[in-house]
Amino acid sequence: MGKPRPASTAAPRGQKRRPKGTRPAGKGAAEPGEARKRSRRELDDVGRLAEEAPQLDSTLGKIISTESGATGLEQSDEDDIEDEHSFSGEDERNDAINNKDDAFDETEPSCSFHRHVSRIITNEEVNALSKQKNKFKWEVPAEDIPNSKWVGTGVNTEGAYADHIGGVKGKLRDHWQNILSDMLNSRLKFFSLCSSYRDIMHCNKKPFYLKGGSAVDSSTMDSYLMHALNHIHRTREIVVKNDAKLRSDPSKDILDDNSFLDQGFTRPKVLFLLPLKSIARRVVKRLIQLSPLSQKDVIGKFKEKFGESDDEVEEPVQSNKPADFDLLFSGDTVDEFLFGIKFTKKSVKLFSNFYSSDIIVASPLALIKKINGDVDKGKEAAKERDFDFLSSIEIAVVDHADVILMQSWSHLYAVFEQLNQLPSKEHGTNVMRIRPWYLDQHARYYRQTILLSSYLTPEMNALFNGLCLNYEGKVKLVTEYKGVLSKIQFEVPQVYERFDASSITEADDARFDYFCKKVYPKIQESDEGRVLLFVSSYFEYIRIRNFLKAQEASFCRIGETTSQQDISRARLWFFEGKKKILLYSERSHFYHRYKIRGAHHLVIYSLPGRKEFYPELVNMLGESEHRKCTVFFSRLDLLKLERIVGTSSAQRLVSSDKSVFVFC
C-alpha cells in the first residue's frame, strides 16, 4: 500500500492535478484511490472464497457492496449525528473553526496518534516483526521507580514525546489540569511512555492493596486511562467530522482522499482486561472522572451496577488475614464480567452495545466464554459465538496481570490470539473508509499492548514476546531486587538445592525427578516431624498428589478446589500429627491465606511467584523448636529467585559451580 498523502488534494501551483486513480511516472507506490481499489478487489476475492466455504460465515463480500460515498453506520450513530449539530456556545464554534483540519494533519509533530495510525508498514517490515528476537538495544533510568530502568527496542525515543499533554485536545487537557492539579506531573511520565504507542511491560507496579501502593497504582492507572481517552477522542473526532463532510456533500467522491480513511472493521478501539469486578469498578469510576463529558446520567447507572461502596478503604476490616488480602478481596470478587462503554459528544454511556462502544471492559473468563460460546449448549454454542468486536482493538491494557495469573493465564493468552482477526459478519462497515492496514490484515502490528503486573513471570514474557508485535517497538521495565529474607522473623536455616534443567520444556520433569529421587526418600527416612510441602502451580499440585498416593504416603492436601470441610480436616490432622505431609498450593494460599500450624520442616517444591508469600510460609515454622526450610530450584527460576533472595544473590545461585547454598 502507498504512503498516505496529506488531507489536501490540491495540486501545487503551476502543476496540473492527475486524474483520479492514476499513478505518477517513476513511482512504485499506488495512490490511496488505487490502493483501495486493489484492496476492494482483494476483498471481493475474500467474499467469493467465503461463499465457497460457508462455514467461515464471512460477509466481507457484502461489506464491499457499500457505495463509496455512502456513510452507512460508519461506526457512528444518531447520538454522534445529533451532537455534530448541537454546538451550544461561541467557544465551541470558535474551537471548531480554529481546529477544523487539525484532526487530519498527519504531519503534526506533537501528535503521536496521527504519526502512529498514518504510517503504512511494508510487507518486509511485517516479515521482520514476525521474526524479531526482541533484543533491547537501549535503556533509560526509571526515575520514579527505585532500582529500575526502562529498556527498549528500536530507536531510543527518550524526550522525543516529552510534551504529550500539549498534543491532547483542549477539553481533555483542561479537564485533567483542573481535576489532577498538582498530581498531573506525576502522571505525565507514564502517560508520555504510553503515548509513544509502543508495547509496554511494567512488571514492578506496586498494587493498591500493598502498603504504600495506593498512590503509585492510582498514578499508573490514571496515565493509561488518560492515554485511552485521548485515543478515543482523537478517533471519534475524525469520524464525526468526516461524517459531517459527507452529509454536507453526499456526492463527494472519497476514493482519492485518504483523509476519509478513519475506521476499523468495528468501532471498539480499547480493551481493558481486568481480573475482578471490584478492580473493574475502580477503573471505570476513575475513567468517568477523567472524562470531561457529562456525568449526570452515568453516575446513577454506575452505582446501580457497581454499588455505592468505595474502591479503597484506608483502614482494612480487622481480621486475622494480612492487610493486603483484606484490601484485594474486600470488594466484589466476581471474575466474570463483560460490558461496553460509549463516548458521544455530550456524555459517557455504560453497558452499551458492543458494536457501538468505544471501550470494552472484560475479564479473560467472560471473554473466552464469549469467544467459545456456551459449552453447555453443545452445537448451539457455535451460533452464540460472537467476538468480531475484538477485530479493531488498537490499545489493549492488561492490569493486575499477576492476579489474572492466579485465575487462568490460558484464558488471557487465548483472548490475545483472537484479537485483530478478520470479522466474520457485517457490522455496518464502509470499506472505503477502512484504514489500509486493516485491509492488509496488519492490524495486530499496530495494536499497542500495555501489560501491568506487580511481578514478572515466564508466562508474561511469552505473551509479550510472542503475541505483541507492535511496529513501534517494545519497552520493558527491568528492576534490581533486594529480596525479602529480612522479613523472616525467626532464625531458620534455609537450604537451597539446585537441580539441572537444560530447557524450559524439560524443567517440570527434571524438578519432579529430583523430588522423587533425592527429596522424598529423605522425607521418608527423617524423624524431624511434620513436613509442609509447597507447590506453586496446579499442574505440580496434581502431579505430587498422584505420586504421594502411589507411594501410600501419610499426607493430606489443601488446593484451590478442596472443599472447606476437607481443608479444616486437613489442617487439624496435620497439626495433631495424624498426617506427616501437608501438600499446599500457591493458589490456595492466594485465595485464603491460611496460617498452617504444626509444621517443622518446610519444603518448597517450587518458589512462589509472589515474593510476599515466601516470608509468610517460612514464618509458619515459628512454633517449631527445630525448624528447617528446603528450597530446590534450577537456573530457569531466576525471576523468582531474585525477588526472594535479591538480584545479586540470585545471580550467584544460578552461576556458581556449587549446587547447595544456605541462608540463615
Side-chain angles (χ1 to χ4, degrees):
M1 304 295 273
K3 184 177 180 180
R5 298 178 303 166
S8 174
T9 57
R13 183 175 299 178
Q15 179 181 334
K16 292 184 179 181
R17 184 174 177 181
R18 291 192 314 275
K20 295 181 179 179
T22 62
R23 180 184 299 177
K27 298 282 186 178
E31 287 295 308
E34 184 175 343
R36 273 181 282 173
K37 288 176 181 177
R38 185 176 69 248
S39 295
R40 186 169 182 169
R41 290 194 298 270
E42 292 170 352
L43 284 176
D44 276 323
D45 294 337
V46 174
R48 284 193 293 272
L49 289 174
E51 292 178 1
E52 297 172 4
Q55 67 273 13
L56 296 178
D57 196 27
S58 175
T59 57
L60 288 175
K62 297 178 182 178
I63 295 175
I64 63 171
S65 64
T66 308
E67 294 296 331
S68 62
T71 58
L73 293 182
E74 300 202 20
Q75 295 168 38
S76 183
D77 50 29
E78 293 181 358
D79 292 318
D80 293 330
I81 295 173
E82 179 183 353
D83 290 339
E84 182 64 25
H85 296 284
S86 60
F87 289 103
S88 58
E90 188 66 28
D91 291 338
E92 286 182 320
R93 284 194 294 273
N94 291 337
D95 183 67
I97 294 172
N98 295 334
N99 298 291
K100 181 178 180 181
D101 293 321
D102 65 345
F104 313 112
D105 186 3
E106 295 170 353
T107 63
E108 183 183 350
S110 63
C111 183
S112 56
F113 168 81
H114 292 294
R115 173 189 55 79
H116 177 67
V117 300
S118 64
R119 182 184 170 190
I120 307 300
I121 60 176
T122 64
N123 289 330
E124 290 75 15
E125 289 177 293
V126 169
N127 293 333
L129 288 168
S130 301
K131 299 175 182 178
Q132 64 179 333
K133 300 299 181 181
N134 298 309
K135 293 183 179 179
F136 297 100
K137 300 178 180 179
W138 54 265
E139 62 181 54
V140 295
E143 299 176 356
D144 51 343
I145 307 174
N147 304 313
S148 300
K149 61 183 178 182
W150 293 105
V151 298
T153 65
V155 179
N156 187 346
T157 58
E158 182 182 14
Y161 308 105
D163 188 26
H164 275 299
I165 192 68
V168 177
K169 303 304 292 181
K171 288 183 180 180
L172 276 178
R173 182 177 63 250
D174 294 344
H175 182 67
W176 294 345
Q177 290 174 337
N178 181 40
I179 68 168
L180 292 174
S181 186
D182 296 337
M183 298 186 295
L184 181 59
N185 288 335
S186 64
R187 269 69 174 160
L188 290 183
K189 293 179 181 178
F190 192 66
F191 172 76
S192 177
L193 188 60
C194 293
S195 296
S196 71
Y197 278 94
R198 298 190 176 205
D199 290 334
I200 302 171
M201 183 155 67
H202 181 354
C203 287
N204 189 24
K205 180 175 74 83
K206 199 166 187 179
F208 67 90
Y209 50 84
L210 289 182
K211 185 178 181 180
S214 178
V216 177
D217 199 355
S218 295
S219 177
T220 305
M221 180 179 67
D222 282 357
S223 298
Y224 73 68
L225 289 176
M226 290 161 62
H227 174 52
L229 282 169
N230 188 44
H231 186 84
I232 292 297
H233 279 252
R234 285 277 187 180
T235 301
R236 182 184 175 279
E237 180 185 44
I238 295 175
V239 173
V240 170
K241 285 187 175 181
N242 281 339
D243 286 348
K245 287 183 179 181
L246 292 176
R247 283 195 300 273
S248 64
D249 185 7
S251 62
K252 184 177 181 62
D253 186 356
I254 67 173
L255 197 59
D256 277 345
D257 188 348
N258 67 291
S259 67
F260 286 92
L261 299 177
D262 56 10
Q263 299 179 8
F265 291 119
T266 56
R267 177 165 173 168
K269 293 295 180 286
V270 177
L271 173 65
F272 292 138
L273 288 164
L274 308 166
L276 301 173
K277 194 174 180 182
S278 59
I279 293 178
R281 180 190 193 281
R282 186 172 178 267
V283 169
V284 173
K285 180 180 179 181
R286 191 57 175 167
L287 179 72
I288 295 171
Q289 292 172 345
L290 289 173
S291 173
L293 302 178
S294 172
Q295 302 177 13
K296 183 191 305 182
D297 298 330
V298 75
I299 290 298
K301 185 87 170 179
F302 176 79
K303 291 182 178 180
E304 175 187 343
K305 296 292 184 179
F306 288 96
E308 299 275 354
S309 61
D310 291 333
D311 297 300
E312 300 175 40
V313 183
E314 294 183 0
E315 293 294 334
V317 178
Q318 294 296 323
S319 72
N320 59 353
K321 306 289 186 181
D324 63 285
F325 177 89
D326 290 330
L327 280 174
L328 177 59
F329 293 107
S330 61
D332 193 336
T333 58
V334 170
D335 60 356
E336 186 176 349
F337 52 89
L338 172 61
F339 58 92
I341 302 176
K342 174 182 178 180
F343 292 85
T344 68
K345 189 177 183 65
K346 295 181 179 180
S347 63
V348 184
K349 297 186 178 181
L350 296 181
F351 302 96
S352 53
N353 178 276
F354 294 144
Y355 291 98
S356 64
S357 298
D358 297 293
I359 296 176
I360 302 296
V361 181
S363 66
L365 175 62
L367 261 187
I368 206 64
K369 284 189 174 183
K370 189 73 173 175
I371 291 170
N372 295 334
D374 190 344
V375 295
D376 295 333
K377 295 184 178 180
K379 294 182 180 180
E380 295 296 323
K383 298 180 181 179
E384 297 182 2
R385 296 181 64 193
D386 179 17
F387 53 94
D388 286 350
F389 55 85
L390 300 177
S391 64
S392 303
I393 295 298
E394 295 174 357
I395 299 176
V397 180
V398 182
D399 202 356
H400 299 279
D402 48 304
V403 180
I404 294 176
L405 187 69
M406 290 290 105
Q407 296 171 336
S408 178
W409 190 257
S410 62
H411 290 343
L412 180 68
Y413 199 90
V415 167
F416 266 82
E417 289 181 319
Q418 298 299 331
L419 293 181
N420 304 117
Q421 300 291 330
L422 282 175
S424 60
K425 298 179 182 178
E426 181 182 356
H427 299 284
T429 307
N430 182 353
V431 72
M432 306 317 297
R433 290 179 63 176
I434 297 178
R435 295 188 185 277
W437 37 272
Y438 277 108
L439 299 176
D440 292 338
Q441 298 185 47
H442 291 166
R444 63 175 176 157
Y445 302 107
Y446 287 76
R447 185 191 73 237
Q448 180 187 30
T449 302
I450 301 175
L451 184 66
L452 304 167
S453 173
S454 65
Y455 60 88
L456 180 62
T457 70
E459 292 88 350
M460 296 176 193
N461 269 331
L463 186 146
F464 191 67
N465 295 335
L467 298 182
C468 302
L469 304 173
N470 191 341
Y471 84 83
E472 295 277 8
K474 299 175 183 285
V475 180
K476 178 180 179 180
L477 188 73
V478 177
T479 301
E480 288 190 9
Y481 295 91
K482 297 180 180 179
V484 293
L485 298 184
S486 60
K487 296 184 179 180
I488 296 173
Q489 300 171 356
F490 311 96
E491 289 188 6
V492 181
Q494 302 157 64
V495 181
Y496 280 67
E497 301 180 14
R498 192 181 68 213
F499 64 91
D500 294 326
S502 57
S503 67
I504 191 67
T505 57
E506 299 177 2
D508 289 335
D509 291 336
R511 189 185 305 273
F512 183 68
D513 289 341
Y514 187 84
F515 174 79
C516 296
K517 297 176 181 178
K518 299 291 183 66
V519 179
Y520 181 70
K522 293 180 181 179
I523 293 176
Q524 274 187 316
E525 298 169 2
S526 174
D527 294 327
E528 294 177 352
R530 296 177 289 279
V531 177
L532 177 60
L533 178 57
F534 178 86
V535 297
S536 63
S537 77
Y538 183 70
F539 169 77
E540 293 168 341
Y541 174 82
I542 296 299
R543 197 173 195 180
I544 296 298
R545 181 202 66 183
N546 293 341
F547 171 77
L548 294 177
K549 280 186 176 180
Q551 297 296 315
E552 297 183 351
S554 172
F555 83 103
C556 51
R557 54 193 170 87
I558 299 178
E560 53 266 41
T561 60
T562 309
S563 68
Q564 189 59 50
Q565 183 179 2
D566 289 340
I567 290 173
S568 299
R569 185 184 298 114
R571 295 177 68 184
L572 180 61
W573 284 349
F574 185 69
F575 176 70
E576 294 178 346
K578 294 180 180 179
K579 299 293 182 180
K580 184 175 182 178
I581 301 172
L582 173 58
L583 179 61
Y584 190 39
S585 73
E586 181 175 6
R587 284 187 182 178
S588 183
H589 191 66
F590 173 77
Y591 282 109
H592 302 288
R593 301 294 275 276
Y594 294 121
K595 184 175 181 180
I596 308 299
R597 300 179 59 195
H600 300 98
H601 185 190
L602 172 64
V603 175
I604 297 184
Y605 180 88
S606 50
L607 285 163
R610 290 180 169 265
K611 61 183 181 180
E612 300 85 10
F613 288 179
Y614 183 80
E616 288 181 12
L617 292 168
V618 178
N619 288 334
M620 290 179 186
L621 300 173
E623 297 178 356
S624 173
E625 295 181 0
H626 306 286
R627 41 189 173 263
K628 178 183 177 182
C629 174
T630 302
V631 179
F632 45 108
F633 68 97
S634 73
R635 290 183 171 90
L636 300 173
D637 292 321
L638 180 61
L639 292 176
K640 292 181 177 180
L641 276 172
E642 63 178 358
R643 291 194 292 269
I644 292 171
V645 303
T647 300
S648 58
S649 296
Q651 293 288 351
R652 289 198 300 270
L653 263 62
V654 299
S655 60
S656 175
D657 294 334
K658 299 179 180 180
S659 60
V660 179
F661 311 86
V662 180
F663 293 90
C664 295

